Amino acid sequence: MDFRLTEEQELLLESLREIMARDCTEEYMKECNEKGEYPTRFINALSENGFGLLGVPEEHDGTPVDTMTMMLVAEEITKNGGPHFAFGQALSIVDMLEFGSEEQIADTMRAVKAGEVAFVLGFTEPQAGSDSSAIATTYTRKNGKVYINGHKTFMSNALRAPYMLCMARNADDAGNPDKMNAFSMWWVPMSAPGIKVERLHKIGWHMMDTCEVYLENVEIEEKDLVGVEGNGFKQVLINFEVERLLMAASVLGMAECAFEDAARYANQRVQFGKPIGTFQLIQEKITYMKIKIENMRNMVYRCAWEIDNKMPVQISSALAKLYCAQSSFEVIDDAMQIMGGIGYTTDTRISRLWLDSRVFRIGGGTDEVMIHAAGRAILKQYK
Amino acid sequence: MNIITCYKIVPEEQDIVVLPDRSLSFARAEWKIGQYDLNAIEAGMQIVEAAGGKVSALSVGDKQLENSKLKKGVLSRGPEDLYLVMDEQLENSDTFLTAQVLTAAIRKIGEFDLVICGEGSSDLYAQQVGAQLGEMLNIPTINGISKITPEGNKIIAERTLGNEIEVLEISLPAVVSVTTDINLPRIPSMKNILAAGKKPIIEWDLSAVGLQGVTKQTEVISTLAPENVERKKVIFEGESEEVIQKLFESIRKELL
């Protein structure tokens, strides 16, 4: 087994650290977080230095790299205290590049090249969270046009993205019990009349907007269909395992960030006449935190390696997402315990990491959905 | 314009350990391209992007130069090719020997219009190599340059002298040393890094540049970190002129 990074990967991470030292300082992160502002300066710096097109196929002017490299970048950003959503668009646009029309691909790439978010992923609805088949948004054909009606929720970047990739069911086919073939994807301009966006108030991820989106008789055209009518679900599924792994890599970096802050603090902070790191109860925490980080990293890297070697990752990607989301939160929580009172203030980034990491157990497939995905598949191997 | 930018491989400052006997250990140090040399490379790149031409990178030294990641690192910053003179004799080379070897290498490379050096090396910062190199090549040599504008077969260069800016017209070929104010070095993208692995690298030893058997003329006897000094633990309170004067006097007394 060779755990070494390639020279190219090392140089890429050096470049990333250089960018972050210039444009993603903790001072800047703190300011964006407090004001609820998008970290435009950092996102632009990433884009200007080619990170926005990293992992994008060459025919779209990108620099293709393997999954491992993508995960290393995602991990490094959060490890240095940066925002997880700053990277990885190359993975979320795969559906569009695969199924989108020429015009839709051009719309997507225009935004990606400018370092902007191309589209809102319009799946989740109030009654359709983990149960995507409960999606109730409809499309209706009338006078040669298509009309969308529905209510989407937890829409990341709805305030800034120019389009929504909207999952909807055919209104004329509402009673269809066939879940897999009931949905279609539509390319809906967020500026279209009839769209109302309301920002949600979250406990974390203040730098990125998450919104309710109401669609009322939103008029689009036949040409705005993405891919094949009725294939919405199948089209979504082509890349979700890599996206799942990306979340695991990001949350691993967040745990590493908190861990390093806490370990340094344990060496510095003096109580009862000596650094708290000399107390065995602190050493125990540090040791188990380190074990969890090693486990997370091994799962993420191994799964990335499996993807790069075209091996199935149905189980390992679900396990990695589940384990990393839970363990990362535990590590960050222990880091806060080591930091004590100061860790609960906004003077340290531990408090931000603590709030920001919790949602990884909910978004992108809940813990419970990961167990549902992995559990059955594991048991099947022993039938 | 054909430009040669010179650089030095130096230890990462943060990794240098001061041992109990005050000597320095580089055993655990990562090696990197000198910080000031990155400005020199960037200056070269900006000239050829504005006026056309080609940038080559050049370094002389011992086995540290073999590090293939560092070779790619230099080339990912833009130069089209890389020349290295590697020899055991060049371990801890002094500025004179370095300039001598650079001169021989540049002569062997052949045609050039401009040689750009960083203001000094990131480790010893003697600021001698650029000046000595120009002298040995017997061409115009200016240091402290903070702006370069190419203009036909000459360059217009600026250097900051206190509150004044001196504007110089320098005929080519020439050797200039640039300050860190001249630019903010670009950060290599993955595209640049991948391209770097495909660029040509030309490696020579001392005999290849006709300098077999040269040795350095100086020898460093010791390099020691400053002795630790006990804190004075004197606190001056207040903001009045008088208090500030007192603080100033006591610092002066200590320094004299």
Side-chain angles (χ1 to χ4, degrees):
Chain A
M1 256 181 278
D2 190 351
F3 288 96
R4 276 172 307 190
L5 304 187
T6 65
E7 288 171 354
E8 283 74 14
Q9 286 168 337
E10 282 182 17
L11 287 167
L12 183 71
L13 296 182
E14 281 174 22
S15 285
L16 178 57
R17 285 190 282 270
E18 228 173 305
I19 293 169
M20 294 190 78
R22 284 182 198 175
D23 290 310
C24 191
T25 57
E26 179 49 27
E27 192 190 0
Y28 178 61
M29 283 293 96
K30 203 171 158 186
E31 187 192 322
C32 290
N33 193 55
E34 271 171 18
K35 294 184 180 165
E37 279 176 9
Y38 196 68
T40 310
R41 193 177 110 202
F42 176 49
I43 304 278
N44 287 348
L46 282 178
S47 176
E48 279 160 23
N49 290 288
F51 282 86
L53 288 167
L54 197 66
V56 173
E58 238 162 2
E59 66 255 42
H60 300 292
D61 303 325
T63 311
V65 290
D66 57 11
T67 309
M68 180 67 94
T69 306
M70 293 296 285
M71 297 307 141
L72 289 170
V73 171
E75 178 193 356
E76 191 69 33
I77 287 176
T78 46
K79 189 179 174 181
N80 289 296
H84 83 283
F85 55 84
F87 179 72
Q89 221 186 169
L91 302 178
S92 50
I93 64 170
V94 168
D95 295 351
M96 287 312 297
L97 298 184
E98 179 78 20
F99 304 109
S101 66
E102 216 169 281
E103 189 188 335
Q104 290 159 356
I105 291 175
D107 291 338
T108 303
M109 288 315 300
R110 199 179 313 117
V112 173
K113 282 177 190 169
E116 287 157 10
V117 179
F119 58 87
V120 182
L121 205 54
F123 296 170
T124 306
E125 298 182 5
Q127 76 294 345
S130 292
D131 180 11
S132 309
S133 67
I135 285 176
T137 296
T138 59
Y139 62 93
T140 317
R141 291 189 166 91
K142 209 162 67 186
N143 307 327
K145 302 277 183 190
V146 180
Y147 294 87
I148 306 267
N149 279 287
H151 173 193
K152 299 286 178 184
T153 191
F154 303 124
M155 296 288 105
S156 300
N157 294 309
L159 287 173
R160 61 180 50 254
Y163 293 92
M164 175 189 280
L165 182 56
C166 181
M167 191 77 101
R169 61 166 79 231
N170 190 339
D172 302 331
D173 200 16
N176 189 348
D178 178 3
K179 288 177 182 176
M180 284 305 280
N181 298 308
F183 301 97
S184 301
M185 281 177 171
W186 294 91
W187 191 237
V188 182
M190 289 297 285
S191 56
I195 292 186
K196 199 171 79 183
V197 179
E198 280 173 11
R199 193 169 180 157
L200 287 163
H201 299 280
K202 313 183 290 283
I203 61 165
W205 283 125
H206 297 306
M207 292 181 227
M208 188 185 71
D209 67 83
T210 305
C211 304
E212 302 270 7
V213 179
Y214 301 91
L215 303 111
E216 201 185 334
N217 283 322
V218 178
E219 183 183 295
I220 53 171
E221 314 268 342
E222 278 301 335
K223 69 166 177 62
D224 296 323
L225 176 70
V226 177
V228 177
E229 190 166 2
N231 276 9
F233 263 139
K234 285 179 208 151
Q235 289 173 195
V236 167
L237 293 179
I238 66 158
N239 205 39
F240 74 107
E241 284 164 339
V242 189
E243 291 182 75
R244 212 171 250 178
L245 189 63
L246 184 77
M247 296 187 74
S250 293
V251 82
L252 154 66
M254 291 168 76
E256 291 174 292
C257 180
F259 172 76
E260 291 185 0
D261 282 1
R264 273 190 284 267
Y265 186 79
N267 283 330
Q268 251 173 35
R269 168 73 172 166
V270 174
Q271 285 290 274
F272 307 102
K274 43 190 176 181
I276 59 169
T278 60
F279 298 117
Q280 290 182 339
L281 280 172
I282 299 293
Q283 289 171 9
E284 186 190 34
K285 277 200 173 53
I286 292 284
T287 305
Y288 282 105
M289 288 159 82
K290 184 73 178 166
I291 288 173
K292 284 173 186 166
I293 287 171
E294 292 296 323
N295 286 343
M296 284 189 255
R297 196 188 291 121
N298 287 336
M299 288 178 98
V300 171
Y301 288 10
R302 172 158 181 150
C303 185
W305 174 83
E306 287 168 346
I307 293 170
D308 287 332
N309 285 284
K310 315 267 181 265
M311 293 155 83
V313 291
Q314 185 197 1
I315 296 173
S316 61
S317 64
L319 294 183
K321 158 73 167 68
L322 172 66
Y323 182 79
C324 290
Q326 292 187 345
S327 302
S328 170
F329 187 69
E330 289 163 12
V331 168
I332 295 166
D333 191 62
D334 275 341
M336 185 183 273
Q337 195 65 24
I338 291 171
M339 305 277 284
I342 200 81
Y344 195 67
T345 69
T346 52
D347 284 345
T348 66
R349 58 186 173 187
I350 296 284
S351 56
R352 185 177 79 232
L353 292 166
W354 193 77
L355 288 167
D356 288 354
S357 66
R358 182 60 179 84
V359 79
F360 284 82
R361 290 186 51 202
I362 302 168
T366 61
D367 285 0
E368 293 72 18
V369 166
M370 290 306 113
I371 291 168
H372 178 69
R376 288 170 307 158
I378 294 167
L379 282 169
K380 205 171 148 192
Q381 290 178 331
Y382 296 91
K383 267 184 185 163
Chain B
M1 197 179 289
N2 282 333
I3 298 175
I4 297 172
T5 59
C6 305
Y7 71 96
K8 181 179 182 180
I9 296 297
V10 296
E12 175 68 58
E13 298 88 346
Q14 289 169 352
D15 300 340
I16 301 172
V17 179
V18 178
L19 300 175
D21 66 355
R22 288 166 54 210
S23 66
L24 305 178
S25 166
F26 301 101
R28 275 193 280 165
E30 281 267 345
W31 292 76
K32 61 171 191 179
I33 306 158
Q35 195 58 41
Y36 307 100
D37 303 332
L38 293 178
N39 294 104
I41 295 170
E42 180 63 26
M45 290 309 297
Q46 290 185 8
I47 294 171
V48 299
E49 279 162 4
K54 164 188 168 187
V55 173
S56 300
L58 166 65
S59 188
V60 306
D62 64 349
K63 59 180 186 309
Q64 300 297 351
L65 287 178
E66 282 169 15
N67 183 323
S68 93
K69 185 180 113 186
L70 289 176
K71 291 178 194 170
K72 286 178 194 163
V74 167
L75 289 168
S76 71
R77 306 259 170 184
E80 273 183 40
D81 48 21
L82 171 61
Y83 292 85
L84 297 171
V85 183
M86 286 189 273
D87 207 293
E88 285 303 305
Q89 287 294 319
L90 296 173
E91 191 185 352
N92 297 323
S93 164
D94 61 17
T95 59
F96 187 79
L97 178 58
T98 300
Q100 230 181 333
V101 180
L102 286 173
T103 304
I106 289 169
R107 292 224 163 99
K108 193 172 165 86
I109 292 170
E111 272 187 32
F112 68 95
D113 302 299
L114 184 64
V115 178
I116 309 179
C117 300
E119 185 64 2
S121 60
S122 294
D123 51 356
L124 300 174
Y125 201 65
Q127 299 172 270
Q128 296 299 311
V129 170
Q132 293 180 9
L133 174 62
E135 174 63 23
M136 289 178 196
L137 287 167
N138 197 24
I139 53 177
T141 304
I142 311 281
N143 61 6
I145 300 295
S146 55
K147 188 179 177 188
I148 301 174
T149 315
E151 209 180 271
N153 57 353
K154 55 182 194 265
I155 54 170
I156 309 299
E158 289 182 9
R159 61 175 173 180
T160 313
L161 305 168
N163 294 328
E164 307 295 323
I165 290 177
E166 185 181 37
V167 181
L168 301 152
E169 194 181 292
I170 306 171
S171 59
L172 301 176
V175 177
V176 296
S177 300
V178 298
T179 66
T180 51
D181 305 337
I182 194 165
N183 55 43
L184 186 62
R186 71 193 60 192
I187 297 172
S189 70
M190 194 59 170
K191 208 169 235 171
N192 303 139
I193 293 166
L194 291 170
K198 298 179 186 127
K199 292 179 178 177
I201 300 171
I202 298 95
E203 297 180 358
W204 293 320
D205 58 10
L206 280 178
S207 60
V209 292
L211 287 178
Q212 200 161 12
V214 292
T215 49
K216 56 176 184 266
Q217 305 293 308
T218 60
E219 195 185 337
V220 176
I221 294 166
S222 77
T223 306
L224 297 177
E227 262 180 279
N228 271 335
V229 180
E230 276 291 308
R231 283 176 188 274
K232 293 288 168 198
K233 294 180 178 165
V234 183
I235 296 171
F236 297 89
E237 282 185 73
E239 291 168 20
S240 68
E241 273 301 315
E242 201 184 327
V243 177
I244 294 167
Q245 194 56 35
K246 250 194 207 160
L247 171 69
F248 175 70
E249 288 299 334
S250 39
I251 291 173
R252 215 165 87 111
K253 210 175 82 197
E254 284 304 323
L255 292 178
L256 289 178

